Amino acid sequence: MFAKKQFGQNFITDKNLILKIISLLDSEPDQLVIEIGPGQGALTKVLVEKYRHVLAIEIDKDLESFLKAEIPNNNFELVMADILTFDLSNYLKNQKKIYKKISIISNLPYYITSEIIFKTFLNSEHLDKAIFMTQKEVAQRITATVGENNYNNLSVAAELYSHKKYEFTVRKQMFNPVPKVDSAIISFNFNKPSFNIGLEDKIKVNEMVRKLFNNRRKTILNNLGNLIGDKSRAQKILESLGIDFQLRPEVISTSEYLQIYKLVGDFKNED
């Protein structure tokens, strides 16, 4: 089977790397593990030996017969679908009644990395953990903390929904075909979120922060003023929180964004 560029496929070839990645999942055997993009089944073959049920979601129809032949295990379920249109929410709600734990694992296609991560976040209330492989630069952005150059709205979102961690770097030579850049493994523990707020508020905070990062070269005062359509009110909000007007979005912490959100209330939902 050949890797297809349109699906961002790069297959893992190192067995020790596979074992190292899977070791980051919880060892509880009574677990549903969802693998997004199983490819040639390198991780999948190990997962079915460790966990009660493995659901693999694959978009490449050419891999269907190959995967079914390679992994005949009864606890293996293959769904041919695009993860972005797959009804993950309803699926997880039903499965949560059956399994002690549910986790997601994936070597993420580079071209839809953010979309898959956000979809995972939106369903995190039904999940225990997610282990993702991304391009190293993307992993550094996601796991960045306030004040770092890579800190962005995705960094804030990851912190809102989970305890995030940069696990380790993966050299590009461990894939076939060899990609242009190194990758990294990152983990999200949804049982230990840094902030205890409801899903609806998390979604609204994410939207607010995304808009405030749209013009990251501008000050927080200008961006917040544009967002709520009232620079004078924005100044009063920042004053009440003791936040310097001249700071830029990348030096505002997640906890400060939460405080801003609580005072802002409704904001203009326009880009």
Side-chain angles (χ1 to χ4, degrees), residues 155-162 193-195 197 202 205-206 254 258:
S155 315
V156 175
E159 196 165 27
L160 277 173
Y161 285 94
S162 70
S194 301
F195 301 93
I197 62 171
K202 287 176 183 176
V205 174
N206 280 342
T254 303
L258 276 172

Side-chain angles (χ1 to χ4, degrees), residues 18-19 22 25 28-35 38 40-56 67-78 105:
I18 292 168
L19 295 176
I22 292 176
L25 289 170
E28 169 60 58
D30 185 11
Q31 185 171 174
L32 165 64
V33 177
I34 300 170
E35 184 181 9
Q40 295 179 338
L43 268 73
T44 325
K45 291 175 185 177
V46 180
L47 290 171
V48 294
E49 298 300 327
K50 290 192 65 174
Y51 299 107
R52 180 178 165 191
H53 194 76
V54 176
L55 168 72
L67 286 167
K68 286 180 177 178
E70 287 287 306
I71 312 170
N73 306 59
N74 291 330
N75 63 330
F76 173 60
E77 179 184 0
L78 178 63
I105 191 168

Side-chain angles (χ1 to χ4, degrees), residues 204-217:
K204 290 180 179 179
V205 174
N206 280 342
E207 181 67 5
M208 182 193 77
V209 173
R210 183 183 70 81
K211 291 176 182 297
L212 291 176
F213 268 92
N214 275 349
N215 294 300
R216 59 187 300 160
R217 291 187 178 183

Side-chain angles (χ1 to χ4, degrees), residues 13 31 43 54 88 92 113 138 143 145 163 175 196 198 225 260 262:
T13 58
Q31 185 171 174
L43 268 73
V54 176
L88 185 61
L92 290 174
T113 292
V138 175
T143 57
T145 55
H163 175 75
F175 297 92
N196 188 22
I260 292 171
K262 289 175 183 178

Side-chain angles (χ1 to χ4, degrees), residues 11 85 171-172 176 201 228 230 233 235 237 260-261:
F11 301 132
T85 57
R171 293 181 295 107
K172 59 187 178 181
N176 180 33
D201 283 326
I228 65 177
D230 188 336
R233 182 178 168 226
Q235 183 169 328
I237 288 172
I260 292 171
Y261 165 74

Side-chain angles (χ1 to χ4, degrees), residues 151-202:
Y151 185 71
N152 66 359
N153 61 302
L154 191 53
S155 315
V156 175
E159 196 165 27
L160 277 173
Y161 285 94
S162 70
H163 175 75
K164 61 184 182 179
K165 185 179 179 182
Y166 185 105
E167 296 288 354
F168 56 86
T169 302
V170 181
R171 293 181 295 107
K172 59 187 178 181
Q173 289 79 10
M174 290 183 169
F175 297 92
N176 180 33
V178 178
K180 294 180 180 179
V181 297
D182 288 337
S183 296
I185 301 295
I186 53 178
S187 65
F188 303 103
N189 188 333
F190 300 116
N191 294 324
K192 297 180 180 178
S194 301
F195 301 93
N196 188 22
I197 62 171
L199 178 61
E200 186 176 342
D201 283 326
K202 287 176 183 176

